[in-house]
Amino acid sequence: MRITELFEKGEFVLTAEVGPPKGVEIDHLIKDAHEFLKTRVHALNVTDNQSSVMRTGSLATCKVLKDEGLLPIFQITCRDRNRIALQSDVLSAALLGIENLLLLTGDYTTLGDHPQAKPVFDLDSVSLIHAVKCLENGYDIAGNAVDGTPPKFAKGAVVSPCSDSVDVQLAKMEAKVKAGCEYFQTQGVFEPDKFMEFMEKAKQFGVPVQLGLIIPKNVGMCRYMNANVAGVHVPDDMIKELQADKERTKSGDVGVEICARLIKECKDYAQGVHIMSLGWENRIPEILDMAGIAPIA
């Protein structure tokens, strides 16, 4: 199933993010996906060497999850592959029955565990979306015909509604839509007013947007994001909320409450929610229950 079919039906689409391990043992990932996520989210994003840290590949992990009866979203970044390899991986995804893509430019290699690695960035997210659209139309980005029936995908991308440069984000969003993007997931949102203001302007594009949430684990994590993650800002009052009860923050209770509150405040402006749990997959059902989001039928 393509995730766009759910948006077209008017579903409030719920997704979560899982990261492949730095190794080949993924039994715990599969177990968590079945136990905590299968009845609460429609699909699972599988990250592509997230934060430039080398891990098992996203495509292989997507295939394992699909074989387990789950709906994976194949994240693809432009950091590690040129246009030949990117298009090849997209065709490989189609061959394996992976129909959902999230197309990203990617983090710089200097942020990860192989800072000496050479970044590629032959394409960016917009040109990668265009390349996938070309493949769907039966030819590659160089204009060469693709054999057989062209593949079809749900093509997604990312937008940062809480960025200081809202006009720049809207321009990027428009470029991605024109290239063929069919849905968006946002960067982590901690400022609901900024999100709602952005969405009032973004609705002109007529493309569904999922509210992106990061479960805040502690004060240090929030301060790191404020200093290092573009387009993400945790307000001072939210940091004070995490500081107020260290035991409840350490247990995850405060972070869960913050996420549930953000969903309640923003859900009328979004067509779904995407939760980046960072290892706290077991808290996602609780977040959704507190936000009044029922289990998936």
Side-chain angles (χ1 to χ4, degrees):
M1 174 188 287
R2 292 192 288 275
I3 195 171
T4 44
E5 297 173 37
L6 298 172
F7 289 118
E8 289 165 2
K9 292 177 182 177
E11 295 265 8
F12 191 76
V13 178
L14 305 169
T15 56
E17 188 169 280
V18 296
K22 194 175 179 68
V24 296
E25 298 294 335
I26 64 169
D27 290 348
H28 68 285
L29 187 153
I30 295 169
K31 179 178 180 293
D32 286 349
H34 277 296
E35 187 171 353
F36 302 117
L37 303 178
K38 191 169 185 179
T39 62
R40 301 311 306 256
V41 300
H42 296 93
L44 294 172
N45 284 36
V46 182
T47 57
D48 181 14
N49 294 319
Q50 186 178 19
S51 302
S52 296
V53 174
M54 189 284 295
R55 299 172 180 271
T56 296
S58 175
L59 182 55
T61 307
C62 283
K63 180 61 167 64
V64 172
L65 293 177
K66 179 176 170 54
D67 289 347
E68 289 288 326
L70 300 157
L71 186 64
I73 298 176
F74 177 26
Q75 289 194 7
I76 314 176
T77 70
C78 301
R79 176 192 56 239
D80 306 318
R81 289 158 283 195
N82 66 15
R83 65 189 65 194
I84 296 172
L86 287 166
Q87 292 175 100
S88 177
D89 278 357
V90 170
L91 291 177
S92 297
L95 182 63
L96 296 173
I98 310 300
E99 299 180 291
N100 298 290
L101 308 177
L102 192 76
L103 306 163
L104 310 162
T105 298
D107 301 315
Y108 283 97
T109 55
T110 51
L111 299 174
D113 63 349
H114 288 64
Q116 72 278 19
K118 292 182 179 180
V120 180
F121 296 118
D122 184 25
L123 302 180
D124 63 9
S125 56
V126 176
S127 50
L128 178 56
I129 295 166
H130 170 70
V132 175
K133 187 68 176 178
C134 287
L135 293 172
E136 290 182 318
N137 289 331
Y139 55 91
D140 64 24
I141 199 171
N144 305 302
V146 174
D147 296 335
T149 304
K152 295 296 180 186
F153 300 99
K155 301 176 292 300
V158 169
V159 67
S160 299
C162 299
S163 169
D164 291 334
S165 305
V166 171
D167 290 341
V168 171
Q169 287 299 313
L170 289 168
K172 288 182 178 180
M173 190 176 185
E174 183 176 18
K176 291 175 182 180
V177 171
K178 287 181 177 178
C181 182
E182 298 169 294
Y183 72 96
F184 285 89
Q185 295 177 346
T186 76
Q187 282 273 42
V189 170
F190 294 96
E191 300 170 288
D193 290 343
K194 282 189 176 181
F195 174 78
M196 291 183 277
E197 183 180 350
F198 180 88
M199 288 304 299
E200 285 291 346
K201 296 176 180 178
K203 65 185 179 183
Q204 63 182 299
F205 303 124
V207 178
V209 177
Q210 290 179 275
L211 168 72
L213 294 177
I214 301 170
I215 304 176
K217 292 185 174 183
N218 52 57
V219 171
M221 172 187 172
C222 294
R223 288 177 173 159
Y224 177 86
M225 290 191 293
N226 285 351
N228 297 282
V229 182
V232 175
H233 177 71
V234 185
D236 289 341
D237 60 346
M238 201 170 285
I239 290 176
K240 289 177 182 177
E241 187 176 352
L242 290 162
Q243 289 175 321
D245 190 330
K246 292 182 180 179
E247 287 302 315
R248 293 188 70 249
T249 294
K250 184 177 180 180
S251 70
D253 291 346
V254 177
V256 164
E257 291 169 2
I258 287 171
C259 282
R261 186 171 71 238
L262 288 168
I263 293 174
K264 288 180 179 179
E265 292 177 359
C266 297
K267 66 181 179 181
D268 289 343
Y269 290 81
Q271 288 71 52
V273 171
H274 175 64
I275 301 178
M276 294 160 270
S277 54
L278 305 177
W280 281 6
E281 289 78 15
N282 62 317
R283 305 306 298 266
I284 289 178
E286 187 179 352
I287 291 169
L288 296 175
D289 286 339
M290 291 178 66
I293 306 295
I296 297 167

